[in-house]
């Protein structure tokens, strides 16, 4: 009762005034059965209305009931609010637990990706070492083959020279014998024979010079062809190395961006998009844009935000960096 009076002081005051008015009429002792004689007067009499105590009590009772209903409604509303807050706390606790489980799963997936990456890099290094050994062995084999061919050619030339010299000695010996036999007959022909011999020698000298020149040209062409093949092979090796390095850095960039990515609300598995990123030396991000979207605007914006958050990105140095000033790569957090 006191609580009702405290919450509604105006109603309490009104009820108190009504009770005091009733008591006042009772104390004055007005005789309600006898009609009073009104003395003649020019003063206007004010007609007073008798207050019914029963109605006053009913009014007070209705006020008390209204206050009780309001108090009950407030209590029910407070209990409902407390239940809603308790349910909200329970949902928040479940959400925190769910996020913790998702973080554990993400960390486990990151560890798996790191192990796979390390194994892949080791396999690439092993293949690279084996390829270098194969190329070195092939180079050594070609060098040995060229040396063998050169030695065979030298032996062939030496044998030809020996045969020519032997033939020349035989011809000279035969000529000497013939000249001795026919010295008297050949005396007249000596000048002509000498001239013929000199012409033959000059002819052989020129033929030998032409042969040596042709062999030198052939050797030069072979060396040039060999050098061109080696240059082409080195260029192919360098191009393959650059391609592997580019793929490696693109993979590192994609992995760093995925690690910096924050999963948007309502994310659906399987979404991916293609990003265009402009980089400065050192990997600073100058600009990022979506050139092929996933169909989900929130996902595309989260991918752009992940690139900016991952700044600076891993990039090579030297001339290979020119291939990373403006790159396109696929952002796929499901890999």
């Amino acid at each position: 009762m006191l609580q009702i009076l405290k919450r509604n002081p105006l109603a309490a005051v009104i009820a108190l005034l009504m009770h005091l008015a009733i008591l006042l009429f009772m104390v004055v002792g007005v005789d309600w059965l006898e009609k009073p004689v009104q003395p003649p007067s020019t003063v206007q009499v004010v007609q007073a209305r008798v207050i019914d105590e029963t109605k006053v009590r009913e009014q007070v009772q209705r006020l008390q009931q209204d206050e009780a209903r309001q108090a009950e409604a407030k209590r029910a509303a407070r209990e409902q609010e407390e239940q809603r807050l308790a349910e909200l706390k329970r949902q928040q606790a479940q959400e925190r637990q769910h996020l913790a489980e998702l973080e554990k799963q993400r960390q486990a997936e990151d560890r798996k990706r790191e192990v796979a990456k390390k194994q892949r890099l080791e396999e690439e290094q092993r293949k690279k070492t084996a390829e270098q050994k194969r190329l070195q062995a092939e180079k050594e084999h070609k060098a040995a083959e060229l040396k063998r061919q050169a030695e065979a050619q030298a032996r062939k030339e030496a044998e030809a020279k020996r045969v020519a010299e032997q033939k020349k000695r035989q011809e000279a010996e035969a000529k000497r014998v013939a000249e001795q036999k026919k010295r008297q007959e050949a005396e007249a022909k000596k000048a002509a024979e000498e001239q013929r011999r000199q012409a033959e020698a000059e002819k052989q000298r020129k033929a030998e010079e032409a042969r040596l020149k042709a062999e030198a040209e052939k050797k030069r062409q072979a060396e040039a062809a060999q050098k061109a093949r080696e240059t082409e092979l080195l260029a192919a090796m360098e191009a393959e190395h650059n391609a592997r390095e580019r793929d490696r850095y693109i993979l590192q960039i994609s992995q760093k961006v995925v690690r910096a990515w924050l999963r948007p609300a309502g994310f659906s598995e399987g979404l991916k998009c293609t990003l265009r990123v402009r980089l400065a030396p050192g990997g600073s991000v100058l600009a990022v844009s979506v050139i092929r979207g996933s169909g989900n605007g929130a996902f595309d914006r989260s991918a752009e935000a992940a690139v900016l958050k991952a700044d600076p990105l891993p990039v090579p140095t030297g001339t290979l960096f020119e291939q990373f000033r403006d790159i396109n790569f696929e952002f796929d957090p499901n890999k």
Side-chain angles (χ1 to χ4, degrees):
M1 183 64 180
L2 290 176
Q3 292 179 356
I4 295 174
L5 293 176
K6 288 180 180 180
R7 288 197 298 269
N8 298 276
L10 180 60
V13 170
I14 294 173
L16 180 60
L17 290 175
M18 289 181 177
H19 282 78
L20 288 175
I22 294 171
L23 291 174
L24 179 61
F25 280 107
M26 293 176 67
V27 171
V28 172
V30 178
D31 189 358
W32 301 98
L33 300 176
E34 182 180 357
K35 291 185 178 179
V37 177
Q38 184 177 0
S41 174
T42 59
V43 179
Q44 185 177 1
V45 178
V46 177
Q47 297 294 327
R49 179 178 295 179
V50 178
I51 299 175
D52 191 346
E53 184 179 359
T54 304
K55 292 183 178 180
V56 172
R57 283 197 299 271
E58 291 177 354
Q59 181 68 23
V60 172
Q61 186 176 4
R62 283 197 298 273
L63 292 174
Q64 292 175 352
Q65 291 175 352
D66 291 340
E67 292 173 355
R69 282 195 296 272
Q70 291 177 1
E72 180 64 22
K74 290 181 179 180
R75 184 189 62 78
R78 185 168 58 253
E79 290 179 354
Q80 185 177 3
E81 180 66 17
E82 290 176 353
Q83 292 177 358
R84 189 184 66 81
L85 292 175
E87 179 64 19
L88 181 60
K89 289 181 180 180
R90 185 185 65 79
Q91 293 177 357
Q92 290 177 347
Q94 291 179 351
E95 182 66 19
R96 286 195 295 270
Q97 183 178 1
H98 179 64
L99 291 175
E101 293 176 355
L102 290 177
E103 180 64 18
K104 288 182 180 179
Q105 293 177 1
R106 187 188 66 78
Q107 292 177 357
E109 292 175 356
D110 288 344
R111 287 194 293 270
K112 289 181 181 180
R113 283 195 291 269
E114 288 295 333
V115 171
K117 173 186 172 185
K118 183 177 180 182
Q119 293 176 350
R120 185 168 59 257
L121 291 176
E122 290 176 352
E123 180 65 18
E124 289 178 355
Q125 184 62 32
R126 185 187 65 77
K127 291 181 179 179
K128 180 180 178 182
T129 303
E131 180 66 14
Q132 289 176 347
K133 289 182 179 180
R134 185 187 67 77
L135 292 175
Q136 183 64 25
E138 183 177 350
K139 184 177 179 181
E140 292 175 354
H141 175 73
K142 288 181 178 178
E145 181 64 20
L146 290 174
K147 183 178 179 181
R148 186 188 64 77
Q149 292 177 359
E151 291 175 351
Q153 183 66 24
R155 287 195 298 270
K156 183 177 179 181
E157 292 174 357
E159 180 64 21
K161 185 177 179 181
R162 185 188 66 79
V163 171
E165 290 177 351
Q166 183 179 3
K167 183 178 180 180
K168 187 183 289 186
R169 286 194 300 271
Q170 292 175 355
E171 290 176 353
E173 182 64 22
K175 184 178 179 181
R176 187 187 65 80
V177 172
E179 287 178 353
Q180 184 178 6
K181 291 181 179 180
K182 300 178 179 179
R183 185 177 292 110
Q184 294 177 352
E185 296 177 358
E187 190 67 29
K189 299 178 181 180
K190 184 177 181 180
E193 183 63 28
E194 182 65 19
Q195 185 177 3
R196 187 194 64 79
R197 189 185 63 79
Q198 290 177 357
E200 183 66 23
E202 181 67 17
K203 183 179 179 181
Q204 290 179 357
R205 185 186 66 79
K206 290 181 179 180
E208 184 66 16
E209 287 180 354
R211 183 185 64 79
L212 293 176
K213 185 177 181 180
E215 291 178 354
E217 179 65 19
K218 183 178 179 181
K219 183 177 180 181
R220 186 190 65 78
Q221 292 178 356
E223 290 176 351
Q226 176 65 19
K227 186 176 181 180
R229 287 193 296 271
E230 292 177 355
T231 302
E232 182 180 356
L233 181 60
L234 290 175
M237 291 174 60
E238 183 177 2
E240 183 179 357
H241 173 72
N242 290 341
R244 286 197 298 269
E245 285 296 301
R246 187 179 189 282
D247 292 343
R248 183 169 67 87
Y249 278 102
I250 288 293
L251 178 62
Q252 292 179 2
I253 289 172
S254 178
Q255 290 176 344
K256 187 173 182 182
V257 171
V258 170
R259 288 195 297 271
W261 176 65
L262 296 178
R263 181 186 299 265
F267 169 73
S268 299
E269 297 293 337
L271 294 180
K272 59 183 179 180
C273 63
T274 301
L275 301 175
R276 179 184 180 186
V277 183
R278 291 178 55 231
L279 299 173
S284 298
V285 178
L286 299 178
V288 58
S289 60
V290 176
I291 61 176
R292 187 171 62 198
S294 64
N296 187 315
F299 176 82
D300 295 345
R301 290 190 294 274
S302 70
E304 292 178 338
V307 173
L308 297 175
K309 185 178 179 182
D311 184 20
L313 298 177
V315 294
T317 57
T319 57
L320 186 58
F321 171 74
E322 296 301 323
Q323 301 182 20
F324 286 80
R325 286 188 180 274
D326 194 341
I327 62 172
N328 298 337
F329 76 94
E330 185 181 76
F331 176 78
D332 187 358
N334 303 294
K335 290 185 178 179

